[in-house]
Amino acid sequence: MRTRALRYFEVVAQEGSIRRAADVLHVAPSAISRQVQKLEEQLSVTLMQRHKQGMLLTTAGDQLLRFIRDMRQREDYFLSHLADAEALKTGTLRLATGGGFISDLIGNAIADFARTYPGVRIDLNICGGDEVIRLVQDDEAELGIVFHQHNNAYVESLLTCRQPLVLMVSPEHRLATCTELSLQEVAGETFAVLTEAFHIRQLLTLWENKSRIHLRAQLTCNSFDALKLYVRTGLAVTVLPRFSASSEIRDGTLHAIDLVDEVLTNTSVHLVMRKGRQTTAAMQTMRDYIGRTMEAFS
């Protein structure tokens, strides 16, 4: 059914007269009559009957008028729902991130966002960097955070911040008094490392290949929390970005030592989205919170 014909029919029903409807719509009465007639032909029913008191609706006409009004209410609700989503009252925001960002992301950006916009649901996917890029490219996540420079032509960086890797040790470790070291100087230490799925481990492997020095890894795992807990025992050291252990550094349970190796210090974090994607109000607002509150981007 044509929208114009339905609109003409509705106004005639409201005004009770084709002539009065023509005055309201600023349309010739003959044009309104033709549209109503076409509507009746399309539906194979009589919608109106002419009486002394004007145009009266038939049973079919009354049902059509109810349908039109119900449709308008649904349209108004839909538009209002969209407006609420744009005003960040409702909706869902899908994020993907590497495990090293969890404390920083949830404790700062997501917590502040959720307090301000409690009606917006956040779906958070925690995975490796390559999977974050895939989720963003395939529109399964609107925003992603990764610890490496991606080479995906379909994904762009919205925010970037240099974040060098540092050596993490327990406060009781013999190296805890050092402020700067090269990885070669500590190559004889026992290490705890992430699996090869993580870009941090890939950088360590690259350093090993370039320097022809093999690091002795006593513990290999896919959890940042497990890695930090093991280092806190004093049994091993590890290499991580400073922000991934910021709370432990502040409370004195871990100590960070700067590294001078270029392959480990020329590193950065990225907030990414699919190139060409329409940015929603929720995405833009979360981007602002991430850039303003996360230690990884400061």
Side-chain angles (χ1 to χ4, degrees), residues 5-77:
L6 293 176
R7 174 59 178 158
Y8 286 2
F9 167 79
E10 181 184 21
V11 176
V12 172
Q14 290 172 346
E15 298 298 324
S17 163
I18 289 179
R19 185 167 296 279
R20 286 198 296 272
D23 292 338
V24 171
L25 295 168
H26 305 290
V27 177
S30 58
I32 295 177
S33 295
R34 283 195 301 271
Q35 289 294 330
V36 172
Q37 184 178 355
K38 288 180 180 179
L39 195 56
E40 290 179 322
E41 292 172 354
Q42 181 182 1
L43 297 174
S44 300
V45 295
T46 300
L47 298 172
M48 293 180 169
Q49 292 179 340
R50 189 182 298 275
H51 291 270
K52 291 182 180 180
Q53 58 267 47
M55 302 296 291
L56 298 181
L57 295 179
T58 63
T59 300
D62 184 69
Q63 290 176 342
L64 179 60
L65 182 61
R66 291 174 183 272
F67 169 79
I68 292 171
R69 288 174 175 172
D70 180 67
M71 185 172 62
R72 178 166 291 107
Q73 287 178 352
R74 290 174 181 270
E75 180 182 11
D76 291 342
Y77 174 81

Side-chain angles (χ1 to χ4, degrees), residues 85-86 88 92-93 142 277-286:
E86 286 304 302
L88 298 172
T92 300
L93 180 62
E142 287 143 307
R277 184 187 182 101
Q278 191 74 26
T279 303
T280 65
M283 290 172 64
Q284 181 60 52
T285 304
M286 179 58 79

Side-chain angles (χ1 to χ4, degrees), residues 254-287:
L254 283 178
H255 180 69
I257 303 170
D258 291 335
L259 292 170
V260 297
D261 308 83
E262 184 177 357
V263 70
L264 303 176
T265 58
N266 190 26
T267 51
S268 56
V269 296
H270 300 261
L271 175 67
V272 298
M273 66 173 280
R274 180 176 60 77
K275 190 174 294 184
R277 184 187 182 101
Q278 191 74 26
T279 303
T280 65
M283 290 172 64
Q284 181 60 52
T285 304
M286 179 58 79
R287 170 188 170 173

